[in-house]
Amino acid sequence: MKNRILVLASIAALMIGATIFAAAQEGRVKPPPPPPRADGPPPPEDMLTHISRELNLNDVQKMQVKAIFDAERAATDPLQAKSEEIHKQIEATVVNGQFDEAQVRTLAGQAGQLNADMMVEHIRAHTKIFSILTPEQRVKAMEMHKRMGPGGPHGSGRPMGGRPNGPPPPPEPQQ
């Protein structure tokens, strides 16, 4: 009796698997969306949807905000890439257990300048968005900003764009 149940369960599992495989091949089953990026801001589409919903933007405002987000992304993506390269260079300076303080200070200064440049671009975009809002939307935007805090909904210490604002906290000591 147990063998029959096991055989029937195996056959059912194979049929379900084959059905799912066939449906996926025909494009009827969508793959799951990619997980959110932990290393940066949400995609502009997600942020646009959130702001549109929270502030009740009209279609013209949505198009304007999307253009502002696109311009900010175009301005900050190269800066972010350069910042990541600098961090890799800093990591490479300590690989062999040696420490060149002058080199690290130079690279850290460059990284700091890039972070400042990214923050300026973000605040520029924020100001442009604020300028296209109605007075009522501005009040809502200010409330939303206060509610979210300086680090967003999780208080991560990141500026409003979600990009890191300095090094991550040190790891917790292990016991």
Side-chain angles (χ1 to χ4, degrees), residues 149-160:
H154 307 293
S156 65
R158 293 178 176 210
M160 270 186 47

Side-chain angles (χ1 to χ4, degrees), residues 77-157:
D77 277 354
L79 299 174
Q80 183 67 27
K82 180 65 176 164
S83 178
E84 290 169 9
E85 179 59 35
I86 288 172
H87 284 280
K88 287 178 185 174
Q89 290 175 14
I90 290 172
E91 289 173 11
T93 65
V94 296
V95 160
N96 296 326
Q98 304 207 337
F99 177 66
D100 182 348
E101 184 173 339
Q103 185 179 14
V104 171
R105 283 188 178 277
T106 299
L107 292 169
Q110 292 172 6
Q113 183 59 51
L114 288 169
N115 283 337
D117 293 345
M118 286 187 284
M119 186 177 284
V120 166
E121 288 299 327
H122 176 73
I123 292 170
R124 178 178 290 128
H126 182 94
T127 303
K128 287 179 182 178
I129 290 170
F130 200 78
S131 73
I132 65 171
L133 300 177
T134 66
E136 294 82 18
Q137 290 169 328
R138 288 179 182 175
V139 169
K140 283 185 182 179
M142 295 293 280
E143 290 170 0
M144 190 169 81
H145 184 67
K146 286 178 187 174
R147 187 175 67 240
M148 301 289 263
H154 307 293
S156 65

Side-chain angles (χ1 to χ4, degrees), residues 2-39:
K2 288 183 181 180
N3 286 341
R4 281 185 130 173
I5 293 173
L6 185 60
V7 169
L8 289 174
S10 298
I11 291 172
L14 284 172
M15 290 178 64
I16 291 170
T19 303
I20 291 172
F21 178 77
Q25 295 301 316
E26 293 177 15
R28 290 189 293 188
V29 176
K30 290 184 177 180
R37 296 180 340 178
D39 64 338

